[in-house]
Amino acid sequence: MIDTRKFLKAFAGPRETFIGVIDRLRYPMYKRYVGPPRLYEALGRYQFDVLIRWGLRPEHSLLDIGCGSLRAGRFFIHYLNRGNYFGIEPNSHLVKEGVTHNIGDDTITQKCPTFRYDGDFNLSGFGREFDFILAHSIFTHAAQHQIEKCFDSARSVMSPSSLFFANYNRGQCDYLGKEWIYPGHVAFTFESISSWAKKSGLACSELDQEHPTVASWIVAYDPSCHPLMTDSR
């Protein structure tokens, strides 16, 4: 039997839990950095399934905000037509490790995804609009001004028919800090999230969509094109 106290003393960093140490010893960094490594495969597939349920097809273009080590990107890259996957990520090493461990150079050549390395939500740098936009595990760590900037930038690359999906932690009050929080999490009310989307000219609806963690889903859209967006699928 493992003596937990001795184990933590030998291997743990400050405030690290027993499970955290086990994960650090068991899983590579490219899996640990983007969320619970034990859910790496499940969360990647889950994001793919959500967008498929909402109509993503191979001919559509997708912008994956915070694509990381391609936890979900690998499913989208294989599924979408050549040149239709776009990922933006501040940490280039994560994308490179994702390509190495999840995709492979042959698939990159065949599918021709496009990546940009930017941590300031500058989504217009691709120079095009997108049919679908995904921000998974972004609003769960971001401050209000970052979410507002993300909505603004997303609106600039959306056509009237585009859909923008994001998850967030729903709380009784809003995180009031100014900094990105990681590895911790933040929470906001739906009313606040919706009001920030509205500032950017977007309507916002909550989805009745279970998440493997405690997060909730929203979809933002042009209200003139989707005036009665009530289908929670």
Side-chain angles (χ1 to χ4, degrees):
M1 180 179 295
I2 296 176
D3 186 320
T4 304
R5 288 174 298 179
K6 290 182 179 179
F7 182 86
L8 288 173
K9 185 177 181 180
F11 294 101
R15 297 180 302 201
E16 192 169 17
T17 65
F18 180 79
I19 293 177
V21 176
I22 293 296
D23 285 349
R24 179 159 55 83
L25 296 175
R26 181 178 180 184
Y27 297 100
M29 175 60 78
Y30 77 91
K31 289 188 175 183
R32 301 197 317 268
Y33 195 88
V34 297
R38 288 161 283 116
L39 295 177
Y40 187 86
E41 284 76 16
L43 279 172
R45 180 72 196 196
Y46 168 77
Q47 295 172 59
F48 176 76
D49 288 343
V50 169
L51 264 61
I52 292 296
R53 190 173 300 122
W54 277 86
L56 180 71
R57 297 295 179 262
E59 63 272 19
H60 290 140
S61 59
L62 168 67
L63 172 57
D64 189 358
I65 303 173
C67 61
S69 58
L70 307 178
R71 176 175 62 181
R74 57 184 171 156
F75 297 105
F76 292 121
I77 290 171
H78 281 288
Y79 176 75
L80 295 171
N81 290 344
R82 176 183 173 87
N84 280 3
Y85 177 87
F86 298 79
I88 189 166
E89 167 62 41
N91 301 294
S92 60
H93 68 92
L94 284 177
V95 175
K96 293 173 183 176
E97 288 193 64
V99 169
T100 298
H101 297 287
N102 292 330
I103 306 293
D105 291 337
D106 289 345
T107 299
I108 293 296
T109 300
Q110 177 187 359
K111 289 293 189 173
C112 200
T114 301
F115 300 104
R116 291 191 68 250
Y117 305 114
D118 183 292
D120 200 32
F121 300 108
N122 181 22
L123 309 182
S124 62
F126 292 101
R128 58 162 297 156
E129 294 179 338
F130 302 94
D131 300 309
F132 285 77
I133 301 175
L134 174 65
H136 187 270
S137 295
I138 301 299
F139 294 0
T140 53
H141 303 285
Q144 174 183 337
H145 70 94
Q146 294 167 324
I147 294 174
E148 290 179 317
K149 186 167 186 179
C150 187
F151 275 131
D152 274 343
S153 193
R155 185 67 184 94
S156 72
V157 296
M158 293 172 67
S159 69
S161 61
S162 300
L163 296 175
F164 174 19
F165 294 85
N167 68 320
Y168 77 107
N169 293 321
R170 183 166 190 170
Q172 297 299 314
C173 57
D174 296 332
Y175 165 61
L176 299 178
K178 304 297 184 183
E179 304 297 325
W180 177 273
I181 299 297
Y182 189 84
H185 296 84
V186 299
F188 299 96
T189 65
F190 170 72
E191 291 73 20
S192 291
I193 294 285
S194 182
S195 70
W196 302 333
K198 187 176 181 179
K199 285 182 182 179
S200 300
L202 297 170
C204 185
S205 297
E206 273 196 308
L207 305 184
D208 184 15
Q209 179 74 54
E210 290 188 6
H211 193 279
T213 69
V214 297
S216 301
W217 279 99
I218 61 102
V219 57
Y221 49 90
D222 182 339
S224 68
C225 189
H226 305 280
L228 299 174
M229 174 73 78
T230 58
D231 185 357
S232 61
R233 301 195 191 183

